[in-house]
């Protein structure tokens, strides 16, 4: 399952939301990747991978593979946007 979202936080994805997202991705038990639009997907379990220089207005693509992928991706997108 793949979804896209636009980052609206004025500082983009910084350390705190990246850490929350990485923890949620790891806890899901699914294979999760994140990519800046036009970029290569990286594992979402690493805070360093997630930051990717993502700024306000950038679009990211989140992909989840595993059990309950729809529920997991909904939760992960909410985690990304709730930090804003």
């Amino acid at each position: 399952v793949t979804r896209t979202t636009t980052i609206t936080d004025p500082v983009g994805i910084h350390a705190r939301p990246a850490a929350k997202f990485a923890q949620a991705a790891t806890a899901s038990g699914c294979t999760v990747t994140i990519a800046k639009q036009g970029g290569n997907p990286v594992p979402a379990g690493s805070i360093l991978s997630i930051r990717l220089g993502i700024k306000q207005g950038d679009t990211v693509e989140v992909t989840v593979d595993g059990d309950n992928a729809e529920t997991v991706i909904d939760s992960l997108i909410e985690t990304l946007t709730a930090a804003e």
Side-chain angles (χ1 to χ4, degrees):
V1 177
T2 300
R3 299 242 175 90
T4 59
T5 190
T6 301
I7 304 304
T8 58
D9 188 310
V11 294
I13 296 181
H14 52 91
R16 188 178 18 201
K20 287 181 181 180
F21 184 81
Q23 289 170 348
T26 300
S28 74
C30 294
T31 301
V32 182
T33 60
I34 186 169
K36 187 173 175 179
Q37 190 171 35
N40 293 321
V42 296
S46 166
I47 186 172
L48 296 176
S49 296
I50 294 170
R51 293 179 68 187
L52 302 170
I54 298 171
K55 296 177 173 47
Q56 181 183 32
D58 287 346
T59 300
V60 295
E61 182 175 272
V62 178
T63 302
V64 176
D65 184 28
D67 293 338
N68 300 314
E70 289 282 344
T71 302
V72 169
I73 202 163
D74 288 343
S75 176
L76 290 173
I77 294 293
E78 185 177 319
T79 300
L80 261 186
T81 57
E84 304 169 355

